[in-house]
Amino acid sequence: MQRSLFRAGACLALALVIGAACGGDGGGGGNEDSLTLTPRPRDINGQGQSTTLTVVAESADGTAGTGEVTLTAPAGLLGNGTKEEVLTLEDGEATTTFTCAKSFDPKCAGAVRITAEWKGVSVTSTVNVSATDGGTNPGDGGTDGGTDGGTDGGTDGGPPTQFGDLNVTLSTGKSLLIANTGDQTPVSVTVTNKTTSAPVPGKQISFTTNRGSFAPAEGTTSITATTNTSGTASVPLYAANMGPGTAEITATLAEGSLKTSLTFTAISTVSYITDKTTKALIGIESSGRDTTTPLYFKITDAAQKPVPGVELSFTVSGAAEANATDKAVTNAEGIASTTLRAGNTVGVAIVKATVSATIGSSRELSVSHPGTPIVGGKPSDRGLVVDCVRKNLGALHATPPPRSLNTNCTAALSDRFGNPVGLATTVQWYPEAGKINSPVDSKPQTGSAPSADTGVATTIFSTSGTFPPYAVTPMTGELHVGADLDDPQGRNARDMAVTVIAVVGGEEDFYDGSGTNGILNGKWDPGEWFVDLGEPLVDRNDNGKWDPGEFFIDTERIDCANPSAPATKNGVWDGPNGCWDSNTQIWRPIHIVYTGPLSLDTANHLWLPASPPYAVGVNQTVPIRFNWSDDYFNRMSSDGAGLVVKKSGSRGSVNIQSDANAFAYGGFEIAYESREATTQADGSLLLGEICNSGKPTPPGSGSSPVKTRCVRHNRFSFPEKGGNSGTINLVGATTSGSAMQSIIDLQANHTFSSSPVIQFQAVFQ
């Protein structure tokens, strides 16, 4: 109940002060569950700046909320790289980030309403996305902090002093000077008419000081100046490398004198300090993901007390194109902040903070922060590589099948420049059969440089789920047996192939500088070749389009013929849309085949040269080529499998050499290609040659949707003979003797199941 009492007390105090009623922000009140969603900062730019979203949930009994909160955003990207993210509450709270880059999402402009839902409670909060990259409000969790050197708290002299019909003020541009440096500030007198407030020019003002100098070197303690047409006379006061203390400044004119004081402060330490709002790493500018981070620096004196009002200047090194807010002034706690912004080059950006007054002096006061890695942030279709350790699993070695087997599968994520994606990114996996762990996050970069597994999402596929895979119609050239009483559907090599897809939020591939009049500028331009993706599809019959019963993801897609229209789902599967999509679901398939023992149906699954018995002469070697497949024309899985040959009789010998087998699956092979495709009048695609980014794009490719572009295509090929293959060498006797007929046994050994044997005859001379 402490949380509720605290909130009620705070609400009462606020009501007493401002006479306002307190209540929720749509999250419920009284004895109801409550939910709040707060962005910090609330105002971000549309060029990659991110905000932190904090969700706080409280149950009706006052205890911290538990369970999951679902966040949705109509534009931009949440922390998982999509528009919807599920967060798990810890102690009633959860946080994520939100980024809205207009270069990737045209809807990133103005007010973006983000919704949070928890246990039937729904609240919304607005993030304001601007077109510029202006600073944010430090009081609202912003990151720019401080101000420029002209507003660091100089003295304004208070209300004007009246001398007859004149109003006179004395002020300094800074509230302090840094002792033992060449720091300086303007000292100004402004004279106006008391009645009309008009400036009074031509008044001679004498300035004196007991500390510092009106020249860069020590010794000039007095100076004279005349008010200008604005009624102001201004002179510079230098610290002149003098020690700490207080300067008493006097300004005298014919009508009287004014005084003010200025502190000379000694700085002992400039240090970098950590804060929970500072990100460990940020994404490159084009990623639109966590492309900025605040950095904080603190100034203290010899007594370790904070020094306010000191200007720091910031420079960036180590990562090309990265930059930071150039100046900031320490606040009451002696802290100044800057915003580090990524460019489009990876590296470790190091921000150096220097006390501006010491720049160029022999005693420059500065410190560098440890460095922030700038990493690949947005997955590109070009850099998406999906694979499984074993793509042939002996799942049919069981009665009934499947035999329970696992294999690791990976999705390696890279950005458009080939950099591993260093930010943790969620990958979804969908199998046709079996089961797979999903979703999984890619491994983030943890140091100053990516490791071998940075950007890799690893999951486990298991055969113990849905079985069997979908039975398909054989393709042209594919080995198959027709339907019979024992097998009413017939069999072919792809019947036991399982399609698995990996899906992640990202951008379509493009070829920078390609096409007609292409420009090499690191981004896609109209007229350049690109790879157009359809919506994610588990294409279980391998025909490249959706068929009833197949799983697909209905994505929000922008109509590039009408880009100002909101992105919508339409409830049906859509193929490639003729547009380069910067924010979409990119995906790749991989195929796993289930295999079993080599078949004893030798009429359909064993290939030997005709007319045994084979005659083997003295000192002669007769090679016998063979192919032997399982019941689906595929080869045995490699784990624990082997082929052994032996013979009866004492004359001659026999040995076997197994082929590496160019067809890894045995009965089929797959080439994952990118091909030209042209939209036909009926909306279908006519496939052309392998995509060649070096050729001009067809006329009309400068405006979307385009008719001809590249698409992903899975090309299947089939051998004339399937399964395992090799050579049995029949080696003749070395001396003459009586001919002897032998039985040759070819045995398939496998740790999973019994070992079938086939036999044929040979005569050794």
PDB file of all heavy atoms in Angstrom, residues 718-753:
ATOM      1  N   PHE A 718      17.251 -31.749 -59.699  1.00  0.00           N
ATOM      2  CA  PHE A 718      17.090 -33.152 -59.312  1.00  0.00           C
ATOM      3  C   PHE A 718      18.099 -34.020 -60.051  1.00  0.00           C
ATOM      4  O   PHE A 718      18.360 -33.812 -61.245  1.00  0.00           O
ATOM      5  CB  PHE A 718      15.667 -33.629 -59.630  1.00  0.00           C
ATOM      6  CG  PHE A 718      14.601 -32.749 -59.044  1.00  0.00           C
ATOM      7  CD1 PHE A 718      13.981 -31.784 -59.827  1.00  0.00           C
ATOM      8  CD2 PHE A 718      14.241 -32.858 -57.714  1.00  0.00           C
ATOM      9  CE1 PHE A 718      13.005 -30.958 -59.300  1.00  0.00           C
ATOM     10  CE2 PHE A 718      13.269 -32.039 -57.174  1.00  0.00           C
ATOM     11  CZ  PHE A 718      12.648 -31.083 -57.961  1.00  0.00           C
ATOM     12  N   PRO A 719      18.672 -35.014 -59.368  1.00  0.00           N
ATOM     13  CA  PRO A 719      19.596 -35.938 -60.032  1.00  0.00           C
ATOM     14  C   PRO A 719      18.827 -37.024 -60.787  1.00  0.00           C
ATOM     15  O   PRO A 719      17.640 -37.249 -60.555  1.00  0.00           O
ATOM     16  CB  PRO A 719      20.374 -36.532 -58.856  1.00  0.00           C
ATOM     17  CG  PRO A 719      19.370 -36.556 -57.742  1.00  0.00           C
ATOM     18  CD  PRO A 719      18.513 -35.331 -57.937  1.00  0.00           C
ATOM     19  N   GLU A 720      19.526 -37.705 -61.682  1.00  0.00           N
ATOM     20  CA  GLU A 720      18.901 -38.830 -62.367  1.00  0.00           C
ATOM     21  C   GLU A 720      18.762 -40.027 -61.437  1.00  0.00           C
ATOM     22  O   GLU A 720      17.864 -40.856 -61.600  1.00  0.00           O
ATOM     23  CB  GLU A 720      19.725 -39.220 -63.590  1.00  0.00           C
ATOM     24  CG  GLU A 720      19.744 -38.155 -64.679  1.00  0.00           C
ATOM     25  CD  GLU A 720      20.553 -38.599 -65.881  1.00  0.00           C
ATOM     26  OE1 GLU A 720      21.115 -39.719 -65.832  1.00  0.00           O
ATOM     27  OE2 GLU A 720      20.619 -37.841 -66.862  1.00  0.00           O
ATOM     28  N   LYS A 721      19.671 -40.124 -60.467  1.00  0.00           N
ATOM     29  CA  LYS A 721      19.651 -41.217 -59.500  1.00  0.00           C
ATOM     30  C   LYS A 721      19.823 -40.592 -58.119  1.00  0.00           C
ATOM     31  O   LYS A 721      20.684 -39.742 -57.926  1.00  0.00           O
ATOM     32  CB  LYS A 721      20.781 -42.212 -59.762  1.00  0.00           C
ATOM     33  CG  LYS A 721      20.788 -42.774 -61.177  1.00  0.00           C
ATOM     34  CD  LYS A 721      22.063 -43.554 -61.446  1.00  0.00           C
ATOM     35  CE  LYS A 721      22.117 -44.025 -62.898  1.00  0.00           C
ATOM     36  NZ  LYS A 721      23.381 -44.743 -63.203  1.00  0.00           N
ATOM     37  N   GLY A 722      19.013 -41.010 -57.152  1.00  0.00           N
ATOM     38  CA  GLY A 722      19.029 -40.366 -55.849  1.00  0.00           C
ATOM     39  C   GLY A 722      19.805 -41.140 -54.811  1.00  0.00           C
ATOM     40  O   GLY A 722      20.427 -42.169 -55.074  1.00  0.00           O
ATOM     41  N   GLY A 723      19.785 -40.616 -53.582  1.00  0.00           N
ATOM     42  CA  GLY A 723      20.347 -41.316 -52.439  1.00  0.00           C
ATOM     43  C   GLY A 723      21.849 -41.240 -52.337  1.00  0.00           C
ATOM     44  O   GLY A 723      22.508 -40.364 -52.895  1.00  0.00           O
ATOM     45  N   ASN A 724      22.419 -42.214 -51.600  1.00  0.00           N
ATOM     46  CA  ASN A 724      23.866 -42.318 -51.452  1.00  0.00           C
ATOM     47  C   ASN A 724      24.460 -42.936 -52.708  1.00  0.00           C
ATOM     48  O   ASN A 724      23.843 -43.778 -53.362  1.00  0.00           O
ATOM     49  CB  ASN A 724      24.212 -43.194 -50.248  1.00  0.00           C
ATOM     50  CG  ASN A 724      23.776 -42.562 -48.943  1.00  0.00           C
ATOM     51  OD1 ASN A 724      22.601 -42.562 -48.610  1.00  0.00           O
ATOM     52  ND2 ASN A 724      24.723 -42.032 -48.199  1.00  0.00           N
ATOM     53  N   SER A 725      25.672 -42.528 -53.034  1.00  0.00           N
ATOM     54  CA  SER A 725      26.316 -43.055 -54.235  1.00  0.00           C
ATOM     55  C   SER A 725      27.771 -43.361 -53.938  1.00  0.00           C
ATOM     56  O   SER A 725      28.349 -42.881 -52.963  1.00  0.00           O
ATOM     57  CB  SER A 725      26.209 -42.055 -55.391  1.00  0.00           C
ATOM     58  OG  SER A 725      26.898 -40.858 -55.074  1.00  0.00           O
ATOM     59  N   GLY A 726      28.360 -44.176 -54.800  1.00  0.00           N
ATOM     60  CA  GLY A 726      29.762 -44.527 -54.634  1.00  0.00           C
ATOM     61  C   GLY A 726      30.189 -45.571 -55.649  1.00  0.00           C
ATOM     62  O   GLY A 726      29.480 -45.850 -56.634  1.00  0.00           O
ATOM     63  N   THR A 727      31.351 -46.168 -55.397  1.00  0.00           N
ATOM     64  CA  THR A 727      31.911 -47.176 -56.299  1.00  0.00           C
ATOM     65  C   THR A 727      32.328 -48.396 -55.491  1.00  0.00           C
ATOM     66  O   THR A 727      33.041 -48.275 -54.489  1.00  0.00           O
ATOM     67  CB  THR A 727      33.134 -46.624 -57.046  1.00  0.00           C
ATOM     68  OG1 THR A 727      32.739 -45.470 -57.795  1.00  0.00           O
ATOM     69  CG2 THR A 727      33.715 -47.669 -57.986  1.00  0.00           C
ATOM     70  N   ILE A 728      31.858 -49.572 -55.923  1.00  0.00           N
ATOM     71  CA  ILE A 728      32.323 -50.847 -55.365  1.00  0.00           C
ATOM     72  C   ILE A 728      33.403 -51.374 -56.302  1.00  0.00           C
ATOM     73  O   ILE A 728      33.157 -51.578 -57.500  1.00  0.00           O
ATOM     74  CB  ILE A 728      31.171 -51.864 -55.255  1.00  0.00           C
ATOM     75  CG1 ILE A 728      30.057 -51.314 -54.355  1.00  0.00           C
ATOM     76  CG2 ILE A 728      31.681 -53.199 -54.727  1.00  0.00           C
ATOM     77  CD1 ILE A 728      28.786 -52.142 -54.393  1.00  0.00           C
ATOM     78  N   ASN A 729      34.600 -51.558 -55.789  1.00  0.00           N
ATOM     79  CA  ASN A 729      35.716 -52.056 -56.593  1.00  0.00           C
ATOM     80  C   ASN A 729      35.863 -53.563 -56.389  1.00  0.00           C
ATOM     81  O   ASN A 729      36.143 -54.030 -55.271  1.00  0.00           O
ATOM     82  CB  ASN A 729      37.012 -51.352 -56.201  1.00  0.00           C
ATOM     83  CG  ASN A 729      36.994 -49.883 -56.577  1.00  0.00           C
ATOM     84  OD1 ASN A 729      36.717 -49.547 -57.725  1.00  0.00           O
ATOM     85  ND2 ASN A 729      37.280 -49.013 -55.620  1.00  0.00           N
ATOM     86  N   LEU A 730      35.629 -54.316 -57.472  1.00  0.00           N
ATOM     87  CA  LEU A 730      35.845 -55.766 -57.457  1.00  0.00           C
ATOM     88  C   LEU A 730      37.271 -56.011 -57.947  1.00  0.00           C
ATOM     89  O   LEU A 730      37.589 -55.743 -59.112  1.00  0.00           O
ATOM     90  CB  LEU A 730      34.832 -56.463 -58.358  1.00  0.00           C
ATOM     91  CG  LEU A 730      33.344 -56.146 -58.079  1.00  0.00           C
ATOM     92  CD1 LEU A 730      32.454 -56.885 -59.085  1.00  0.00           C
ATOM     93  CD2 LEU A 730      32.978 -56.528 -56.654  1.00  0.00           C
ATOM     94  N   VAL A 731      38.143 -56.491 -57.065  1.00  0.00           N
ATOM     95  CA  VAL A 731      39.571 -56.641 -57.366  1.00  0.00           C
ATOM     96  C   VAL A 731      39.870 -58.119 -57.609  1.00  0.00           C
ATOM     97  O   VAL A 731      39.639 -58.970 -56.728  1.00  0.00           O
ATOM     98  CB  VAL A 731      40.437 -56.106 -56.210  1.00  0.00           C
ATOM     99  CG1 VAL A 731      41.920 -56.229 -56.559  1.00  0.00           C
ATOM    100  CG2 VAL A 731      40.062 -54.662 -55.906  1.00  0.00           C
ATOM    101  N   GLY A 732      40.377 -58.424 -58.818  1.00  0.00           N
ATOM    102  CA  GLY A 732      40.636 -59.812 -59.179  1.00  0.00           C
ATOM    103  C   GLY A 732      41.816 -60.414 -58.436  1.00  0.00           C
ATOM    104  O   GLY A 732      42.643 -59.712 -57.836  1.00  0.00           O
ATOM    105  N   ALA A 733      41.896 -61.762 -58.517  1.00  0.00           N
ATOM    106  CA  ALA A 733      43.010 -62.473 -57.881  1.00  0.00           C
ATOM    107  C   ALA A 733      44.313 -62.134 -58.590  1.00  0.00           C
ATOM    108  O   ALA A 733      44.332 -61.734 -59.760  1.00  0.00           O
ATOM    109  CB  ALA A 733      42.753 -63.975 -57.921  1.00  0.00           C
ATOM    110  N   THR A 734      45.413 -62.319 -57.891  1.00  0.00           N
ATOM    111  CA  THR A 734      46.727 -61.991 -58.469  1.00  0.00           C
ATOM    112  C   THR A 734      47.363 -63.176 -59.175  1.00  0.00           C
ATOM    113  O   THR A 734      48.372 -63.012 -59.873  1.00  0.00           O
ATOM    114  CB  THR A 734      47.667 -61.491 -57.359  1.00  0.00           C
ATOM    115  OG1 THR A 734      47.763 -62.504 -56.350  1.00  0.00           O
ATOM    116  CG2 THR A 734      47.137 -60.200 -56.750  1.00  0.00           C
ATOM    117  N   THR A 735      46.810 -64.385 -58.991  1.00  0.00           N
ATOM    118  CA  THR A 735      47.351 -65.580 -59.658  1.00  0.00           C
ATOM    119  C   THR A 735      46.215 -66.327 -60.336  1.00  0.00           C
ATOM    120  O   THR A 735      45.050 -66.204 -59.961  1.00  0.00           O
ATOM    121  CB  THR A 735      48.039 -66.513 -58.643  1.00  0.00           C
ATOM    122  OG1 THR A 735      47.083 -66.911 -57.654  1.00  0.00           O
ATOM    123  CG2 THR A 735      49.216 -65.805 -57.972  1.00  0.00           C
ATOM    124  N   SER A 736      46.581 -67.128 -61.344  1.00  0.00           N
ATOM    125  CA  SER A 736      45.577 -67.906 -62.066  1.00  0.00           C
ATOM    126  C   SER A 736      45.049 -69.021 -61.181  1.00  0.00           C
ATOM    127  O   SER A 736      45.737 -69.525 -60.286  1.00  0.00           O
ATOM    128  CB  SER A 736      46.174 -68.499 -63.343  1.00  0.00           C
ATOM    129  OG  SER A 736      46.605 -67.460 -64.205  1.00  0.00           O
ATOM    130  N   GLY A 737      43.829 -69.412 -61.436  1.00  0.00           N
ATOM    131  CA  GLY A 737      43.212 -70.484 -60.673  1.00  0.00           C
ATOM    132  C   GLY A 737      41.811 -70.718 -61.178  1.00  0.00           C
ATOM    133  O   GLY A 737      41.362 -70.123 -62.168  1.00  0.00           O
ATOM    134  N   SER A 738      41.106 -71.611 -60.499  1.00  0.00           N
ATOM    135  CA  SER A 738      39.740 -71.919 -60.913  1.00  0.00           C
ATOM    136  C   SER A 738      38.825 -70.734 -60.620  1.00  0.00           C
ATOM    137  O   SER A 738      38.950 -70.060 -59.586  1.00  0.00           O
ATOM    138  CB  SER A 738      39.233 -73.156 -60.157  1.00  0.00           C
ATOM    139  OG  SER A 738      40.046 -74.269 -60.438  1.00  0.00           O
ATOM    140  N   ALA A 739      37.912 -70.468 -61.556  1.00  0.00           N
ATOM    141  CA  ALA A 739      36.949 -69.382 -61.357  1.00  0.00           C
ATOM    142  C   ALA A 739      36.067 -69.684 -60.161  1.00  0.00           C
ATOM    143  O   ALA A 739      35.722 -70.840 -59.894  1.00  0.00           O
ATOM    144  CB  ALA A 739      36.112 -69.188 -62.606  1.00  0.00           C
ATOM    145  N   MET A 740      35.692 -68.630 -59.435  1.00  0.00           N
ATOM    146  CA  MET A 740      34.878 -68.792 -58.230  1.00  0.00           C
ATOM    147  C   MET A 740      33.770 -67.736 -58.225  1.00  0.00           C
ATOM    148  O   MET A 740      34.030 -66.549 -58.427  1.00  0.00           O
ATOM    149  CB  MET A 740      35.746 -68.643 -56.980  1.00  0.00           C
ATOM    150  CG  MET A 740      34.973 -68.807 -55.668  1.00  0.00           C
ATOM    151  SD  MET A 740      36.068 -68.684 -54.231  1.00  0.00           S
ATOM    152  CE  MET A 740      37.026 -70.186 -54.432  1.00  0.00           C
ATOM    153  N   GLN A 741      32.533 -68.205 -58.031  1.00  0.00           N
ATOM    154  CA  GLN A 741      31.410 -67.271 -57.948  1.00  0.00           C
ATOM    155  C   GLN A 741      31.263 -66.798 -56.508  1.00  0.00           C
ATOM    156  O   GLN A 741      31.290 -67.588 -55.571  1.00  0.00           O
ATOM    157  CB  GLN A 741      30.122 -67.940 -58.420  1.00  0.00           C
ATOM    158  CG  GLN A 741      28.922 -66.990 -58.423  1.00  0.00           C
ATOM    159  CD  GLN A 741      27.765 -67.519 -59.238  1.00  0.00           C
ATOM    160  OE1 GLN A 741      27.923 -67.811 -60.424  1.00  0.00           O
ATOM    161  NE2 GLN A 741      26.624 -67.683 -58.619  1.00  0.00           N
ATOM    162  N   SER A 742      31.107 -65.479 -56.337  1.00  0.00           N
ATOM    163  CA  SER A 742      31.001 -64.882 -54.997  1.00  0.00           C
ATOM    164  C   SER A 742      29.709 -64.090 -54.878  1.00  0.00           C
ATOM    165  O   SER A 742      29.180 -63.563 -55.869  1.00  0.00           O
ATOM    166  CB  SER A 742      32.191 -63.958 -54.720  1.00  0.00           C
ATOM    167  OG  SER A 742      33.406 -64.670 -54.698  1.00  0.00           O
ATOM    168  N   ILE A 743      29.228 -64.000 -53.636  1.00  0.00           N
ATOM    169  CA  ILE A 743      28.082 -63.143 -53.306  1.00  0.00           C
ATOM    170  C   ILE A 743      28.632 -61.848 -52.712  1.00  0.00           C
ATOM    171  O   ILE A 743      29.388 -61.867 -51.733  1.00  0.00           O
ATOM    172  CB  ILE A 743      27.139 -63.820 -52.303  1.00  0.00           C
ATOM    173  CG1 ILE A 743      26.645 -65.163 -52.862  1.00  0.00           C
ATOM    174  CG2 ILE A 743      25.972 -62.896 -51.963  1.00  0.00           C
ATOM    175  CD1 ILE A 743      25.838 -65.034 -54.125  1.00  0.00           C
ATOM    176  N   ILE A 744      28.261 -60.744 -53.319  1.00  0.00           N
ATOM    177  CA  ILE A 744      28.688 -59.432 -52.827  1.00  0.00           C
ATOM    178  C   ILE A 744      27.568 -58.859 -51.969  1.00  0.00           C
ATOM    179  O   ILE A 744      26.423 -58.742 -52.420  1.00  0.00           O
ATOM    180  CB  ILE A 744      29.012 -58.467 -53.988  1.00  0.00           C
ATOM    181  CG1 ILE A 744      29.968 -59.129 -54.988  1.00  0.00           C
ATOM    182  CG2 ILE A 744      29.567 -57.158 -53.447  1.00  0.00           C
ATOM    183  CD1 ILE A 744      31.303 -59.511 -54.407  1.00  0.00           C
ATOM    184  N   ASP A 745      27.899 -58.512 -50.709  1.00  0.00           N
ATOM    185  CA  ASP A 745      26.935 -57.888 -49.794  1.00  0.00           C
ATOM    186  C   ASP A 745      27.252 -56.398 -49.669  1.00  0.00           C
ATOM    187  O   ASP A 745      28.376 -56.026 -49.305  1.00  0.00           O
ATOM    188  CB  ASP A 745      27.016 -58.511 -48.402  1.00  0.00           C
ATOM    189  CG  ASP A 745      26.452 -59.916 -48.366  1.00  0.00           C
ATOM    190  OD1 ASP A 745      25.791 -60.295 -49.343  1.00  0.00           O
ATOM    191  OD2 ASP A 745      26.694 -60.610 -47.363  1.00  0.00           O
ATOM    192  N   LEU A 746      26.261 -55.552 -49.973  1.00  0.00           N
ATOM    193  CA  LEU A 746      26.374 -54.103 -49.732  1.00  0.00           C
ATOM    194  C   LEU A 746      25.452 -53.775 -48.566  1.00  0.00           C
ATOM    195  O   LEU A 746      24.237 -53.985 -48.641  1.00  0.00           O
ATOM    196  CB  LEU A 746      25.969 -53.305 -50.972  1.00  0.00           C
ATOM    197  CG  LEU A 746      25.976 -51.773 -50.826  1.00  0.00           C
ATOM    198  CD1 LEU A 746      27.367 -51.262 -50.469  1.00  0.00           C
ATOM    199  CD2 LEU A 746      25.482 -51.114 -52.116  1.00  0.00           C
ATOM    200  N   GLN A 747      26.042 -53.292 -47.479  1.00  0.00           N
ATOM    201  CA  GLN A 747      25.288 -53.088 -46.246  1.00  0.00           C
ATOM    202  C   GLN A 747      25.300 -51.610 -45.862  1.00  0.00           C
ATOM    203  O   GLN A 747      26.335 -50.945 -45.928  1.00  0.00           O
ATOM    204  CB  GLN A 747      25.892 -53.920 -45.112  1.00  0.00           C
ATOM    205  CG  GLN A 747      25.100 -53.859 -43.810  1.00  0.00           C
ATOM    206  CD  GLN A 747      25.658 -54.802 -42.758  1.00  0.00           C
ATOM    207  OE1 GLN A 747      26.833 -55.162 -42.803  1.00  0.00           O
ATOM    208  NE2 GLN A 747      24.819 -55.223 -41.832  1.00  0.00           N
ATOM    209  N   ALA A 748      24.129 -51.116 -45.482  1.00  0.00           N
ATOM    210  CA  ALA A 748      23.999 -49.733 -45.000  1.00  0.00           C
ATOM    211  C   ALA A 748      23.912 -49.764 -43.485  1.00  0.00           C
ATOM    212  O   ALA A 748      22.930 -50.255 -42.923  1.00  0.00           O
ATOM    213  CB  ALA A 748      22.759 -49.081 -45.590  1.00  0.00           C
ATOM    214  N   ASN A 749      24.939 -49.275 -42.826  1.00  0.00           N
ATOM    215  CA  ASN A 749      24.962 -49.254 -41.364  1.00  0.00           C
ATOM    216  C   ASN A 749      24.463 -47.910 -40.848  1.00  0.00           C
ATOM    217  O   ASN A 749      24.805 -46.853 -41.383  1.00  0.00           O
ATOM    218  CB  ASN A 749      26.384 -49.484 -40.848  1.00  0.00           C
ATOM    219  CG  ASN A 749      26.839 -50.909 -41.084  1.00  0.00           C
ATOM    220  OD1 ASN A 749      26.038 -51.834 -41.005  1.00  0.00           O
ATOM    221  ND2 ASN A 749      28.122 -51.084 -41.374  1.00  0.00           N
ATOM    222  N   HIS A 750      23.666 -47.967 -39.803  1.00  0.00           N
ATOM    223  CA  HIS A 750      23.198 -46.739 -39.174  1.00  0.00           C
ATOM    224  C   HIS A 750      22.941 -47.013 -37.707  1.00  0.00           C
ATOM    225  O   HIS A 750      22.388 -48.053 -37.356  1.00  0.00           O
ATOM    226  CB  HIS A 750      21.914 -46.226 -39.838  1.00  0.00           C
ATOM    227  CG  HIS A 750      21.791 -44.734 -39.793  1.00  0.00           C
ATOM    228  ND1 HIS A 750      21.639 -44.038 -38.626  1.00  0.00           N
ATOM    229  CD2 HIS A 750      21.826 -43.799 -40.778  1.00  0.00           C
ATOM    230  CE1 HIS A 750      21.573 -42.748 -38.887  1.00  0.00           C
ATOM    231  NE2 HIS A 750      21.687 -42.570 -40.187  1.00  0.00           N
ATOM    232  N   THR A 751      23.356 -46.097 -36.856  1.00  0.00           N
ATOM    233  CA  THR A 751      23.168 -46.302 -35.419  1.00  0.00           C
ATOM    234  C   THR A 751      21.709 -46.217 -35.016  1.00  0.00           C
ATOM    235  O   THR A 751      21.335 -46.648 -33.931  1.00  0.00           O
ATOM    236  CB  THR A 751      23.961 -45.246 -34.629  1.00  0.00           C
ATOM    237  OG1 THR A 751      23.541 -43.944 -35.043  1.00  0.00           O
ATOM    238  CG2 THR A 751      25.454 -45.386 -34.865  1.00  0.00           C
ATOM    239  N   PHE A 752      20.856 -45.648 -35.888  1.00  0.00           N
ATOM    240  CA  PHE A 752      19.459 -45.445 -35.512  1.00  0.00           C
ATOM    241  C   PHE A 752      18.621 -46.711 -35.649  1.00  0.00           C
ATOM    242  O   PHE A 752      17.629 -46.880 -34.955  1.00  0.00           O
ATOM    243  CB  PHE A 752      18.826 -44.367 -36.391  1.00  0.00           C
ATOM    244  CG  PHE A 752      19.355 -42.989 -36.150  1.00  0.00           C
ATOM    245  CD1 PHE A 752      19.133 -41.993 -37.076  1.00  0.00           C
ATOM    246  CD2 PHE A 752      20.066 -42.675 -35.014  1.00  0.00           C
ATOM    247  CE1 PHE A 752      19.608 -40.714 -36.873  1.00  0.00           C
ATOM    248  CE2 PHE A 752      20.544 -41.403 -34.797  1.00  0.00           C
ATOM    249  CZ  PHE A 752      20.320 -40.415 -35.730  1.00  0.00           C
ATOM    250  N   SER A 753      18.967 -47.580 -36.631  1.00  0.00           N
ATOM    251  CA  SER A 753      18.048 -48.662 -36.954  1.00  0.00           C
ATOM    252  C   SER A 753      18.815 -49.827 -37.557  1.00  0.00           C
ATOM    253  O   SER A 753      20.039 -49.781 -37.722  1.00  0.00           O
ATOM    254  CB  SER A 753      16.977 -48.160 -37.933  1.00  0.00           C
ATOM    255  OG  SER A 753      17.587 -47.683 -39.117  1.00  0.00           O
TER     256      SER A 753
END
